[in-house]
Amino acid sequence: MSVMNGIPMAVAPVLFKAACPDCRSRFELAAGALRLAIGGSRRTTFYSFTCPECGSSVRKPAGERIVELLTGGGVSTLRLHSTV
């Protein structure tokens, strides 16, 4: 619940539009259905989800804007650390 000008307001859950590269389905996913991994480079920063239509595991690169949108929408984030 959110409060605006002292008045409690219900906040609608954030939904993200996504598509499966395997079955080509398009759908919306809640923040809890997505996972975001932030690595030390563009190659190791990605988001992932399971396609609700075909069950495929999907992994897509996440640039700065995608990271901002996903984290702002409540997607769980895992920070990957270098072992160097």
Side-chain angles (χ1 to χ4, degrees), residues 1-78:
M1 177 112 11
S2 177
V3 177
M4 179 180 248
N5 297 329
I7 302 169
M9 300 176 64
V11 177
V14 176
L15 294 176
F16 297 93
K17 292 184 179 186
C20 177
D22 291 339
C23 70
R24 302 203 185 271
S25 292
R26 295 185 175 277
F27 39 82
E28 291 182 338
L29 296 171
L34 294 154
R35 294 161 302 282
L36 174 63
I38 300 176
S41 71
R42 288 181 175 219
R43 297 177 85 200
T44 58
T45 300
F46 60 91
Y47 66 100
S48 61
F49 58 90
T50 300
C51 175
E53 298 295 322
C54 71
S56 290
S57 294
V58 179
R59 177 175 160 165
K60 295 188 175 188
E64 289 181 33
R65 181 70 179 138
I66 297 294
V67 169
E68 183 180 314
L69 291 170
L70 294 176
T71 55
V75 173
S76 295
T77 303
L78 172 66

